[in-house]
Amino acid sequence: MSWKLIRVRSVGGRRKVLAIVLSALALVGLAGWLGFGSGLFSVDRVEIRGATFTDTDKVSRAAAVPDGVSLLSVDTDDVAERVAKLPEVEVVTVSRDWPHTIVVDITERSADLAVPVDGGFILVDRSGVAFRTVDEAPDDTFRVALDDPGRHDPATVAVLTVLSSLTSHLQDLLVEVDAQAPTRITLILSDERTIFWGDASRSDRKAEVATALLGMSEQHFDVSAPDVPTVS
């Protein structure tokens, strides 16, 4: 008799477990339907933040988030990867703003170099990326004559190396850089004096020597061989 009671209780426990499992599955199914199939969290807006000169429509097209898809189904990493390919964008983060918005937050590149071209200037950032063309060079950029500005251009890379090594005194006097070849870099100063730098090697030493030579009255300095500089 006691054995039968135990058995009845066991069957009842199994039914309770089964009921709990079925309820959990139903809840999961309902949650999945609400999240992916109901339209309750469908995308109806892509918000672009951080754009000052970058065309927001261009960013939206690069993000390529279809209207009406569920927020849960949007791969934010993929969206960020696509937007990051835009030359104007240095950093991008993508997030969800419930219930209907994808937020694309960009940090735009800032210019270090302004390269003269017909009708304006190509702006180049500190990593060598040419990202924008403007009518006038920004005040906080260095004018640099380059044939093919860009991160894969040896002359661009050499100029950025040179500029990063300049003393504050040289930076204050510098108005233009001529770098038609990576081995023939010339600095043009505000008083029209010139410093022939040569290539970007030993730039820290060249900067020290060039700064010391500025106390002389000569107009042209050659620090391409910094241990034996010449003046004229």
Side-chain angles (χ1 to χ4, degrees):
M1 189 69 178
S2 62
W3 179 84
K4 290 182 179 179
L5 286 173
I6 293 171
R7 186 177 181 186
V8 168
R9 288 175 182 174
S10 177
V11 171
R14 290 175 182 172
R15 288 175 178 172
K16 287 182 179 180
V17 171
L18 180 59
I20 291 171
V21 170
L22 291 176
S23 297
L25 291 173
L27 288 173
V28 170
L30 178 60
W33 178 77
L34 288 173
F36 291 94
S38 68
L40 186 63
F41 301 113
S42 60
V43 175
D44 64 10
R45 183 185 178 205
V46 176
E47 181 180 352
I48 312 301
R49 298 177 182 173
T52 58
F53 57 80
T54 304
D55 185 348
T56 54
D57 289 339
K58 183 179 179 180
V59 178
S60 294
R61 290 193 296 272
V65 179
D67 286 339
V69 300
S70 169
L71 275 177
L72 291 170
S73 67
V74 176
D75 190 324
T76 56
D77 289 338
D78 282 352
V79 175
E81 185 176 345
R82 291 193 291 270
V83 174
K85 293 178 181 178
L86 296 176
E88 301 92 339
V89 176
E90 183 172 26
V91 179
V92 56
T93 58
V94 179
S95 59
R96 300 175 179 86
D97 186 7
W98 302 94
H100 300 296
T101 304
I102 289 292
V103 178
V104 179
D105 197 336
I106 66 172
T107 300
E108 296 170 317
R109 297 185 187 277
S110 57
D112 277 32
L113 313 181
V115 181
V117 293
D118 291 340
F121 296 86
I122 296 174
L123 301 184
V124 179
D125 78 346
R126 62 181 178 273
S127 63
V129 176
F131 65 92
R132 189 183 178 201
T133 301
V134 295
D135 294 333
E136 296 184 2
D139 291 337
D140 56 349
T141 58
F142 293 109
R143 277 195 181 191
V144 183
L146 292 165
D147 290 336
D148 185 24
R151 64 168 61 186
H152 301 298
D153 173 44
T156 302
V157 175
V159 166
L160 289 168
T161 300
V162 171
L163 292 177
S164 68
S165 71
L166 297 184
T167 62
S168 58
H169 189 30
L170 282 172
Q171 289 181 0
D172 290 342
L173 293 175
L174 181 64
V175 294
E176 190 171 350
V177 181
D178 186 350
Q180 296 181 4
T183 57
R184 296 192 58 80
I185 298 171
T186 299
L187 309 187
I188 303 169
L189 307 184
S190 57
D191 56 7
E192 297 186 353
R193 292 193 291 179
T194 62
I195 303 173
F196 180 66
W197 207 268
D199 61 21
S201 66
R202 304 185 66 191
S203 280
D204 289 338
R205 175 58 178 160
K206 291 175 182 179
E208 293 177 2
V209 173
T211 302
L213 294 175
L214 291 177
M216 304 178 67
S217 60
E218 280 75 10
Q219 291 295 107
H220 306 291
F221 308 101
D222 186 336
V223 297
S224 57
D227 295 331
V228 285
T230 61
V231 299
S232 60

